[in-house]
Amino acid sequence: MTSHEGPTSTTATRAAPGESPERAAKRRSATRGAFFAEFVDMFDIYLPTVILTPALIYFQPAGRLDPGLAAIFTSLVFVTTLVGRPIGAAVFGALADRVGRRRSTIISVTGFGVITLLIALVPGYSTLGIASYWLLIVLRFLDGICLGGGYTGALPLAMEYSTKSRRGLLGGIILAAFPLAYVVITLVGLASFALFPLAGPDSPYAVWGWRVPFVLGALLAFVLAIYYVRSVSESEIWEAAEAAKSEGTSQGGAGRPLIAVLRSRTFLQVFGMMTGFWLTQNLVTLFLPTTVLRNLVGLSNNQLTVALLVAYVCLVGSYIAAGVIGQRIGRRRFFVIAGVLIATVGVALMAVLVNGRGLPFGLVVLVVVAFSVVVTAPWGVVLPYITERFRTDVRASGFGLGFSVSVVIPSFYAFFLEGLGALMPYATAVLVLLALGGVLGAVGAAAGPETKDVDFE
């Protein structure tokens, strides 16, 4: 297979030499950095969901806020972060393509470390009134921008240091930081709830207990930034591409990475595929715990926590396994198979769950694990695939936009369910939406080429 690099790389046709000890050391440092960047990113993303939600009463006027308005304010804390992430991916992706993956990562990681620390210091309603809520929302929006840039430089940097035959494995390992972060933040949340009582807006947890995990998140970000400063080298492939541009031997979207990406058919294909897989992913991470397991199956809070913890622990291993399988059989083939399995096996497992009230708890956990593994399988493969779809001078922008912008439409899954619910039973609407996501992911992958033999160098 020919390289997607085209004329932007002067070494595209060379056979890759054996990896030197120095190169291997750089690869290991970049991989560790990418893993921790993904972990810290997802740790921060889950902070509001797990840690802040019980403490939002601290930012509200006691008994004087309309329930509908309270729901809007609560949703804004999460939606603003979601809106900020694609913006950050665009800004820091372009920055990573122009000044380097390492420098962009250091700037964005330091940024969300500072903002997360500022969130931990926000005073409550008794001090600032409703302005405290708006301050929290603005900070979460800025946090989302920096979070969107945290992985945009770090993850392509790791892939550019990886040998071609190990991209699948390393990509699966790096993305496995996502379910691991959920496990850790859940355990931190359980410890916080146990140590700091929550009983109204003046209770220890509402006033200051929730701040401790946010300070921890900020410290993790600062440690990550220091690690990149001291231990991670800039991508040699990016440096070579920059040298080629300065010598006038490179063509393409130099200096305009965002425009070059958005105008490309490659972006449209990746966007379509990822829209499908984000839709199915949201049904696992958002809809499954909040609606299916809690309301339809009827799990208690403790049962829900146990079921999700078991599932996410299993996902750490399944992400890595998916990366290895995708490397062996090809990423395009893996995505097509995974999409079909989501639309068939995943739908069957979801049907069991939406009709699962009264099932033994052990059986529910088993079905939740199987469902989560099947539906999230593509995520062990997306990192190497998307980075392989874009040439060096726009790779960070392509990865950031392809990965993040595609999350926007699927985030309105609740509205899609309501619309379908007007035409069919709600439980059936869930199955239809899940199948639609799987089919869209499979068709999107089939529309693109195989990438596992693409040479970055």
Side-chain angles (χ1 to χ4, degrees):
M1 180 175 177
T2 58
S3 169
H4 290 208
E5 287 288 322
T8 62
S9 174
T10 59
T11 59
T13 59
R14 294 181 186 175
E19 191 178 36
S20 66
E22 180 182 5
R23 171 88 176 199
K26 290 181 178 180
R27 171 178 52 78
R28 287 191 292 269
S29 296
T31 302
R32 293 190 194 104
F35 177 86
F36 286 118
E38 176 71 8
F39 178 88
V40 173
D41 174 83
M42 297 314 303
F43 185 93
D44 198 288
I45 285 294
Y46 280 122
L47 276 174
T49 305
V50 178
I51 300 297
L52 191 55
T53 299
L56 287 178
I57 53 175
Y58 178 65
F59 300 94
Q60 300 173 358
R64 288 179 291 172
L65 195 62
D66 178 81
L69 184 59
I72 292 174
F73 275 124
T74 300
S75 66
L76 283 175
V77 174
F78 311 112
V79 171
T80 49
T81 306
L82 175 67
V83 172
R85 283 173 68 88
I87 296 174
V91 172
F92 285 98
L95 188 67
D97 285 326
R98 300 188 68 172
V99 306
R101 285 74 160 109
R102 175 179 174 271
R103 187 179 301 177
S104 173
T105 300
I106 293 170
I107 295 172
S108 61
V109 169
T110 302
F112 70 68
V114 171
I115 295 170
T116 301
L117 184 59
L118 290 176
I119 291 174
L121 302 176
V122 173
Y125 183 87
S126 61
T127 303
L128 294 180
I130 200 65
S132 66
Y133 224 129
W134 288 114
L135 179 58
L136 177 65
I137 289 170
V138 169
L139 287 175
R140 282 303 295 179
F141 173 70
L142 296 175
D143 205 25
I145 292 177
C146 290
L147 286 168
Y151 57 81
T152 302
L155 274 59
L157 171 58
M159 287 293 97
E160 288 175 341
Y161 266 117
S162 173
T163 56
K164 183 167 61 175
S165 63
R166 301 189 66 184
R167 286 184 206 144
L169 171 63
L170 295 183
I173 290 174
I174 291 168
L175 265 295
F178 157 54
L180 181 62
Y182 176 86
V183 172
V184 173
I185 194 64
T186 300
L187 295 176
V188 169
L190 291 174
S192 299
F193 301 147
L195 292 173
F196 312 118
L198 175 63
D202 298 322
S203 61
Y205 185 87
V207 175
W208 58 270
W210 64 271
R211 303 179 192 271
V212 176
F214 274 83
V215 172
L216 175 59
L219 292 176
L220 289 174
F222 294 144
V223 169
L224 177 62
I226 293 171
Y227 178 79
Y228 267 85
V229 170
R230 293 183 174 181
S231 303
V232 179
S233 300
E234 183 55 82
S235 166
E236 294 176 354
I237 291 175
W238 175 82
E239 290 177 330
E242 288 298 294
K245 284 195 295 186
S246 65
E247 295 170 3
T249 60
S250 173
Q251 302 173 13
R256 300 182 299 162
L258 289 179
I259 296 175
V261 169
L262 292 174
R263 285 181 175 177
S264 67
R265 293 181 180 180
T266 298
F267 171 73
L268 292 177
Q269 180 263 317
V270 171
F271 176 83
M273 183 191 80
M274 291 301 297
T275 296
F277 289 140
W278 269 119
L279 180 57
T280 60
Q281 178 80 354
N282 283 346
L283 292 177
V284 174
T285 58
L286 301 176
F287 184 74
L288 178 68
T290 60
T291 302
V292 176
L293 297 181
R294 187 182 298 277
N295 298 333
L296 302 182
V297 179
L299 296 187
S300 66
N301 288 336
N302 288 337
Q303 288 176 324
L304 179 61
T305 299
V306 170
L308 293 177
L309 278 176
V310 172
Y312 276 82
V313 168
C314 293
L315 289 183
V316 173
S318 70
Y319 274 41
I320 299 172
V324 173
I325 296 171
Q327 183 72 44
R328 181 176 295 273
I329 70 173
R331 317 207 202 285
R332 178 175 181 267
R333 182 182 299 174
F334 182 90
F335 285 135
V336 172
I337 294 173
V340 172
L341 288 177
I342 291 171
T344 54
V345 177
V347 167
L349 292 170
M350 176 62 94
V352 173
L353 291 174
V354 296
N355 297 285
R357 185 172 292 274
L359 289 177
F361 178 62
L363 179 58
V364 171
V365 173
L366 182 62
V367 176
V368 168
V369 169
F371 174 76
S372 301
V373 168
V374 169
V375 176
T376 66
W379 295 88
V381 186
V382 296
L383 171 55
Y385 179 79
I386 299 178
T387 53
E388 289 162 348
R389 288 292 281 126
F390 295 94
R391 62 178 188 256
T392 298
D393 61 336
V394 296
R395 182 167 294 126
S397 297
F399 176 76
L401 292 171
F403 191 85
S404 289
V405 175
S406 53
V407 75
V408 176
I409 295 175
S411 298
F412 294 95
Y413 72 91
F415 295 93
F416 304 149
L417 285 176
E418 286 297 321
L420 289 172
L423 304 174
M424 61 189 72
Y426 190 76
T428 304
V430 174
L431 306 182
V432 170
L433 195 62
L434 180 62
L436 178 63
V439 170
L440 182 58
V443 171
E450 178 52 59
T451 64
K452 75 184 185 74
D453 293 321
V454 166
D455 290 314
F456 286 167
E457 299 185 72

